[in-house]
Amino acid sequence: MTIRLYDTSARQIRDFTPLTAGCVSIYLCGATVQAAPHIGHIRSGLNFDMMRRWFEYRGYEVTFIRNVTDIDDKIIAKSTEQRRPWWSIGYENERAFNDGYAALGCLPPTYEPRATGHVTEMVEMMRGLIERGHAYESEGNVYFDVKSYPDYLALSRQDLDNIRQPESTGETGKRDARDFAMWKSVKPGEPSWETPWGRGRPGWHLECSAMAHKYLGEAFDIHGGGLDLIFPHHENEIAQAKAFGDAFAAYWVHNAWVTMSGEKMSKSLGNSVLVSEMVKQWRPIVLRYYLGTPHYRSMIEYSEEALREAESAFARIEGFYQRVIEKAGGAVEPAAEVPPAFAEAMDDDLGVPQALAIVHTTVRQGNSALAADDKDAAIARLSEVRAMLGVLGLDPLDPHWAGETDRGEDLHGAVDTLVRLVLEQRESARARKDWATADAIRDQLQQSGLVIEDSPTGPRWTLGPR
C-alpha cells in the first residue's frame, strides 16, 4: 500500500513517504475571517478532511493544523466600514466558518491557532531572519528581502524579473518593490502589538510560517490550500521558513476552486453562495456529496442543476440503504475494510470520483440482489457501501447525520403524520379495488415532491429530487 499525491512543487504525482513512520503532519491555510464563508471556502476544508480521513483509514496518526487569520487589511477595512471592533468581526466569522465545517461533517482540526495568538513566535522568526540577512526593518516595518533567497518563486516557477508589487500598498521604506511585509508599523486606529522595532501588526504571510514551526516543527509532511494561495502566500511562506532554517513542507497539495460563470467564487465579485444559506436550502450531507466528490484538483462550476443531480444520486444510495435495512430487519454494520478497487482509487492521489464509481456499482449490485431476493448478498453489499461512504464522511447512518436525513427531524415528523393519513386513504381505496382513486392519490403525492414505494411492510415515502 502506497498513497500517492500530486505535489505542486514537483509538478507530478509522488509516492508519499512520511517524515516519521506511521505519522502524517498537515498544515492547511484556513479562513481569513473578514466575512462569513461561501461554499468555495468550505470546499478546501472538505477536500483536506477527506485526505485526513483516508490517511487515518490507512493507519496513520494524523496531526492536522488549520489556522485562522484573524487580523489583516480586509478585517481592518471591515471594522472601519461597519464601525465595529476588528476582533468582533473576526470572532463572529470564525464561528460561522466552524459552523460551516461542522455542518458539512468536517472533523475538527488537531489545533486551530489564531494569528493574533502567535505574535511572540513571529517576532522570534523576524529576529532570526534579520540576523541572517534575509529581512530588514524600515520605518517600523519589517520586510523580507526576496533577492536574498535564491529559490524564491520555485513553487510557482515564475521569474523574479516579471514580478512587480503594486505601488499603492502604503508600505514605505522598501529596498525593492518586490520585497514583502512581514510586519506593518502601527497606523492610527489600527490594532497593534509591541516588538523590538516598534508597535505594529503582522503581515499576512508571516503568521503561517511561524505557526507551522510552532505546531509541526522545522519539517512536516504536507502543506495544503487553494490554488490561489500558491503566489504570493505560499511562495512567501517558503521563503520565510527556509531562510530561517526550516526544511518546511515536504509536499504541497492544492485544491481547485468553486466557480460561477467561469470565475472563482469570491466575495469581492459578489458571486458567493453563503454556507449558512445553502444549508437551509439543501441537506448538508448532499452539499458534502456535491462539493467533496469531484477530484480535489478539478474545478467545480456551481449550478443548482448540478446540485439537484447530486441530490438525486445520493437519494438513490439512501433508497438502497432503506430497502436493505427493511429486508435485514435491522441495522447493517460497515465492513471492516473497503473493497480493493475503492482503496486503489483513493491511494492514487485521492481519486474520489473513481472511488465513488465503485460505491455506485456496489449499490447497483445490491439492488440486483434485492430483486433476486438474495438477502445475504444485499446485506454484504450495503456493508461494503457503508465502509466506503464512512471513509468519505458520507455514511447516512453516521451519528453526525442523525436527524437531518429529511431536512429536519421536527419537520419530518409533522410531514410524516400528514402523509400517512393520506396513505391510509390510498390503502383503503386499494382494499376496495378502487385503483383509479389509489393511483390518483399516489400521483398527487408525487406532484408534491414525494416518492411513494410499496414495500412488504406497507407503503413508504421519501422526498424526491427537486
Side-chain angles (χ1 to χ4, degrees), residues 227-301:
L227 284 173
D228 52 318
L229 299 181
I230 294 175
F231 179 84
H233 186 50
H234 289 165
E235 287 285 15
N236 294 353
E237 278 189 63
I238 292 170
Q240 291 163 155
K242 291 197 171 184
F244 184 70
D246 288 356
F248 213 49
Y251 297 80
W252 285 86
V253 179
H254 292 92
N255 64 277
W257 304 327
V258 179
T259 61
M260 292 181 72
S261 303
E263 292 188 90
K264 173 179 173 286
M265 190 169 284
S266 166
K267 290 187 286 287
S268 63
L269 293 175
N271 61 0
S272 58
V273 182
L274 294 181
V275 177
S276 58
E277 295 303 314
M278 293 293 286
V279 296
K280 296 175 184 176
Q281 303 171 46
W282 303 90
R283 291 168 50 205
I285 197 170
V286 170
L287 284 175
R288 183 179 177 96
Y289 183 94
Y290 170 67
L291 292 172
T293 53
H295 195 274
Y296 75 90
R297 290 194 285 120
S298 299
M299 297 291 181
I300 299 175
E301 174 66 18

Side-chain angles (χ1 to χ4, degrees), residues 46 54 56 79 160-161 199 366 388 401 406 422 436 439 444:
L46 264 177
W54 184 244
E56 290 179 344
S79 173
L160 183 59
D161 289 338
R199 296 192 66 85
M388 292 185 281
W401 305 112
D406 293 291
V422 178
D439 289 346
Q444 288 176 346

Side-chain angles (χ1 to χ4, degrees), residues 28-33 37-38 40-47 49 53 64 66-68 93-109 112 275 284 288 400-401:
L28 174 64
C29 283
T32 299
V33 287
H38 55 62
H41 292 129
I42 298 299
R43 183 194 182 183
S44 180
L46 264 177
N47 289 152
D49 181 67
R53 288 171 182 266
F64 182 61
R66 186 182 66 211
N67 76 294
V68 176
N93 292 310
E94 180 182 340
R95 292 186 63 180
F97 268 88
N98 284 331
D99 288 347
Y101 291 131
L104 271 62
C106 293
L107 300 172
E112 192 168 26
V275 177
R288 183 179 177 96
H400 176 81
W401 305 112

